[in-house]
Structure formats: C-alpha cells, structure tokens
Amino acid sequence: MSVSGADEPPARPDPRRWWGLWTIALAQLMVVLDATIVNIALPSAQRDLGMSDGDRQWVITAYTLAFGGLLLLGGRVSDLVGRRRTFVIGLAGFAVASALGGAATTPGMLFGARALQGVFAAVLAPSALSLLTTTFTDSRERARAFGIYGTLAAGGAAIGFVVGGLVTEYLNWRWCLYVNVPIAVVAVVGALVLLRDTPDRTADRLDVPGVLLGCGGLIAIVYGFAEAEPRGWTDPLVWAVIAAGFMLLAGFVWWQKRAPAPLLPLHILLDRNRLGCFLTMAMAVVGMFGMFLFMTYYLQVVLHYSPVLTGLAFLPMTASILTGSTQISARLVHRVPPRLLMTPGMLLAATGMLILTRMTVHSTYVTDILPSLVLMGLGMGLTFTPVFSTATAGVDPQDAGVTSATVNTAQQVGGSIGTALLNTVATTSGAAYVTAHLTDPARRAQVTTEGMVHGYTVAIGWAAAIMLLAALTAALLATAKPTRYDAQDAVPEPVG
C-alpha cells in the first residue's frame, strides 16, 4: 500500500466515494438478505425437492456454517490480495452459487450451492467492510456511512423476509436465489468503476495453521449447535463436536502468539473496546435471529398469515432500524461514547423481547406484536452503528480486512448459535407443556398450538436475558471516547 511521507499533504477525499458506498452497501445487503430470504420459501423448496424434515435445516445451516467458519480466512485474504479484487471475486462467486441453487434438482445440490454461497460471502463481507473503513476517514462522514451500513446489517435480515414472501407467493422459491444474480452484476460494475484498492504487501504469507485451527474451530462449534436441534442436547456427538471446536480455538489462540504472520493478530482482540463490540454484536444477534425464526412460524402457523403478509409484518421493524441507525445513532456516534448508544440500544431491544414473552395463541399483531418489533428495531439501530464504527476505528490498514471479518464473524456465529440454541429451548419447553396439559385427546390440536407458543415465549425470554447481558457488556467494555477517525489516524488507499 502507498504511504504518504511526512512532508506530503493527506490525500483529498475522492468525490465519488458516496457512489462507492452504495456499491458496498448493495453487496452487504445481498449477503445479509440471503441469511433469511429462503426462510419463508423453505416449505415450498422442501415439497418441490422432496427434502425430509431432518434435512431441511441444512438449507440454512450450510450457508451459515461456511460463512461463519471462513470469515477470518476471507478477511486475511482481502488484506493480502487486495480488497477490491476480493470484493469482485466474492460477488461473482456468490452470483454463480446462487444460480446453481436456483436450478437445484436435488436436496444435495441445493445444500452444496448454499455452502458455496457461504464460502464467497466469507470473502465478500470483510472486503466490503474494510473498503468502507479505508474510504471514509472524516469522523462526520464516517458516522453517516456506518449508519447506512449498520442499517443494512440489522435490517437486511428483516427485508429478506419481505422479499422472500413476495417472491415465493408470486413467482416461486427458486427466485429467492436467482434474485442475487442481477444484484451482483450491478455491484460488480459499480466496484470496477468506483472502487480502487491495492494489496497490502507488508504481509505476504497466509497463516495456514491458523486457518486450520481457527476456521476448523468455528465450523465445529457452529456445526455442533446446529446438530443439537435434530439430535437433542443429550447426544454425545453434539458435545464432542462442540468440545473439539473449543479445543481447536484454544490451539488457535496459542498459535497466534507464535505465528510469524498471524491470521488474527491478538492485539485486535486485546483492545478492550473492540472486544466489547465483538461480544455485544454476538449476543445481540442471538436474540434477533431467534426472534425472526419464532415470529415467522407464529405469524404463519398461529395467525395464518400468508408469506407476503408475514414479510410485510416485519416492515415496521426495518423502518425503526433505519430511524435508530441513520437519524439517531449516526448523528451521535462521533459526539458521545459508544456505550451511551449501545447500552440503551440493547435495553430497548431486551424490552421488546420481554413484551413478546406475553404472547398467546389469541394475541393480535397491532397490540401485542407491533410494539415489540418497533422497540427491537430502534435498539438494533442504536447498537449496530457504533459497533461497526468503534470496532474498526483506528485499525492499521494492513489489519482492516481481518478486523472487519472478526465483526462479521461475531454476527454470523452468534446468529447461527442463537438459532440452534433457542430453537432447542423452544422445542423442549413446548413438548413439556403438551405433556403436562394434554388431558383430553379431543383437545390435542389446541394444546399442541398452545405448547408451540409457550415454547416460543420461553425461548424469547432467554433471548431477552442474553440481550440484557449484551447491555452490561457494552456498558463495561465499550468505554472509548466518541469515534473520531481522521486522515492522520491511518492512511487509506485512494478510492475512486
């Protein structure tokens, strides 16, 4: 990378940087959308391809497993090869994988395509965030840029439900995958025209042992929690895989202290504020992804909403995320310490979750569901912008990619673990309720529905507790001063 000399003036911002932001944001939206867009389409895909109930989870898990497990590798590759280059490669590969998934004729072909999507998403996501980090160095512009990015990171999942519902009802489930192709084409053209970046030549080696230990550990942990859903928590394989994952991660930390070119320099994790952001992010999405899962089934199965209406039901949450991130958080992130946004944000989100614990089979959307979605959205909007901005502020240019990957890893692994963990809690609690209350066989259907909703409320209660823990973590660890990231802090490559 080029480094300005002491007597050289700082590079002037490129006038096309805001167009570049929309290119980066479009790619990020595509990645986040794909984590949820297939949820509503899953019943149709299952019927069409003849998937079993035990195998259908792999449509979701194959994506999250590859994505969450390979993000650290993708972040370091973007630092070594060049961020724009890996950004374009990630977009092109994601488009090809999406086309393969849309054309799937067997369950295995769909699972493989989803895993391939996750691989290229692991390359694309850290490249996008690190390009954003090195493009916007003025503190006010940086706040606005990260407000937009944070909105997409938090709201893209909800938008995915809307798009998934519309596409499934009016086209078919395959277009939930095909839709990525034109988006990727537009983003590739934008990247080639608007973005410019060069590889970091100060680190010209890849830490292969670190890749095997770190990525292997993350994949094992995510796989273990995913298998807890069909196998149950008492299955020895579940605990063996999770234990092996933690052992691999312990070996990863040991090796990073000794590696000549570490995959994840430990000084990134040892920074108190960054660690607080990583932990807050992971715990925030545990509750958010769990809520998406339960509310999707509640709206369709209990309230009998159509796929389109179910997707539209999440729109108020998306609007409140937009308000919280761009109108509140982005305006304050360079004026107040991050914990004064993250802590209230998590408290608001936890309050929204606690409201949902009162949900019954007779609840109505306007009075019982809508207030919680609005509070959740505001809380996430307040939280995500300072998390992304603080975690990546002041990072050395050669570490921008891996730091960005660590933020995304926290988000993806937290969501994967949260979905598996909370779904197991819901299933267990629901089954126990049915066993205790099924005294009249004629009421089996009613009691089963009541048990399902009871399981959801118990799991959502656990999610609220995790979000309260996230609020405490943010208050204790994210003690940095207001984010100020100027050209003197790091010398970015020109973008344009």
Side-chain angles (χ1 to χ4, degrees):
M1 300 180 69
S2 61
V3 179
S4 301
D7 58 345
E8 295 180 13
R12 297 183 63 182
D14 190 278
R16 294 181 298 177
R17 62 194 179 280
W18 290 105
W19 288 107
L21 167 64
W22 289 110
T23 297
I24 295 168
L26 186 63
Q28 173 65 13
L29 177 62
M30 183 180 68
V31 170
V32 177
L33 278 176
D34 231 67
T36 57
I37 193 172
V38 299
N39 278 269
I40 293 178
L42 187 54
S44 299
Q46 182 179 0
R47 290 192 301 269
D48 194 11
L49 300 180
M51 272 181 253
S52 68
D53 288 343
D55 288 342
R56 66 185 178 187
Q57 63 153 333
W58 285 105
V59 176
I60 308 299
T61 308
Y63 179 78
T64 58
L65 200 61
F67 190 8
L70 297 175
L71 268 166
L72 286 178
L73 174 60
R76 183 50 80 192
V77 167
S78 75
D79 287 334
L80 297 176
V81 177
R83 298 172 189 106
R84 189 185 74 157
R85 185 178 300 169
T86 53
F87 185 76
V88 171
I89 292 171
L91 284 168
F94 200 92
V96 171
S98 298
L100 289 174
T105 56
T106 65
M109 185 176 175
L110 180 58
F111 302 155
R114 290 286 287 167
L116 193 60
Q117 280 185 309
V119 170
F120 284 105
V123 173
L124 177 59
S127 301
L129 184 53
S130 57
L131 279 169
L132 188 66
T133 300
T134 56
T135 299
F136 293 92
T137 57
D138 175 79
S139 60
R140 290 183 180 274
E141 288 192 348
R142 181 180 171 85
R144 290 174 59 196
F146 273 89
I148 294 170
Y149 190 91
T151 298
L152 294 174
I159 296 172
F161 286 113
V162 178
V163 176
L166 290 169
V167 169
T168 301
E169 189 153 326
Y170 294 112
L171 294 173
N172 62 52
W173 67 268
R174 296 181 184 276
W175 280 96
C176 289
L177 295 161
Y178 286 144
V179 72
N180 294 319
V181 177
I183 295 175
V185 170
V186 172
V188 165
V189 172
L192 294 176
V193 173
L194 299 170
L195 302 177
R196 185 180 305 137
D197 189 54
T198 57
D200 170 40
R201 300 302 185 188
T202 63
D204 56 1
R205 291 197 298 172
L206 187 63
D207 177 17
V208 176
V211 169
L212 297 176
L213 290 169
C215 296
L218 288 174
I219 288 175
I221 290 173
V222 175
Y223 177 79
F225 277 96
E227 282 297 291
E229 179 182 351
R231 294 176 178 270
W233 287 106
T234 58
D235 191 288
L237 177 64
V238 170
W239 289 108
V241 172
I242 293 175
F246 280 108
M247 290 177 63
L248 287 171
L249 288 184
F252 172 76
V253 173
W254 173 86
W255 172 250
Q256 295 307 284
K257 296 178 181 178
R258 294 158 178 79
L263 178 67
L264 175 60
L266 292 184
H267 66 82
I268 293 174
L269 292 179
L270 295 177
D271 182 280
R272 175 176 182 169
N273 293 287
R274 288 196 184 97
L275 179 61
C277 289
F278 298 152
L279 293 175
T280 300
M281 170 65 80
M283 288 185 282
V285 296
V286 164
M288 186 175 75
F289 275 65
M291 185 273 293
F292 284 152
L293 175 68
F294 301 137
M295 292 312 302
T296 298
Y297 277 96
Y298 178 81
L299 292 171
Q300 291 196 60
V301 175
V302 179
L303 298 188
H304 305 292
Y305 281 20
S306 68
V308 169
L309 196 57
T310 299
L312 293 175
F314 285 100
L315 274 182
M317 180 178 180
T318 305
S320 60
I321 289 173
L322 182 65
T323 301
S325 60
T326 63
Q327 302 304 311
I328 302 175
S329 195
R331 296 173 184 268
L332 296 177
V333 72
H334 61 282
R335 298 180 181 178
V336 302
R339 63 177 170 179
L340 294 186
L341 294 170
M342 294 161 61
T343 303
M346 284 292 91
L347 291 175
L348 278 175
T351 301
M353 297 294 277
L354 287 172
I355 292 174
L356 286 179
T357 61
R358 302 173 57 193
M359 187 170 62
T360 70
V361 295
H362 304 295
S363 295
T364 62
Y365 175 79
V366 173
T367 59
D368 301 307
I369 309 301
L370 180 59
S372 67
L373 294 180
V374 171
L375 288 175
M376 276 281 294
L378 284 174
M380 290 298 176
L382 285 174
T383 302
F384 274 40
T385 296
V387 163
F388 283 122
S389 183
T390 304
T392 56
V395 174
D396 292 335
Q398 65 268 21
D399 290 331
V402 72
T403 304
S404 304
T406 307
V407 181
N408 281 286
T409 299
Q411 181 182 10
Q412 195 63 34
V413 174
S416 300
I417 292 175
T419 299
L421 174 64
L422 295 179
N423 191 60
T424 302
V425 171
T427 302
T428 304
S429 301
Y433 180 95
V434 172
T435 301
H437 292 80
L438 187 58
T439 56
D440 182 1
R443 297 183 63 249
R444 176 176 294 276
Q446 179 181 347
V447 172
T448 299
T449 303
E450 291 173 353
M452 178 178 63
V453 175
H454 173 76
Y456 294 165
T457 59
V458 172
I460 288 171
W462 279 96
I466 294 171
M467 285 188 166
L468 290 174
L469 183 59
L472 180 62
T473 300
L476 295 178
L477 294 180
T479 58
K481 295 180 180 180
T483 302
R484 298 194 183 279
Y485 188 94
D486 301 314
Q488 291 84 358
D489 297 325
V491 183
E493 292 297 322
V495 176

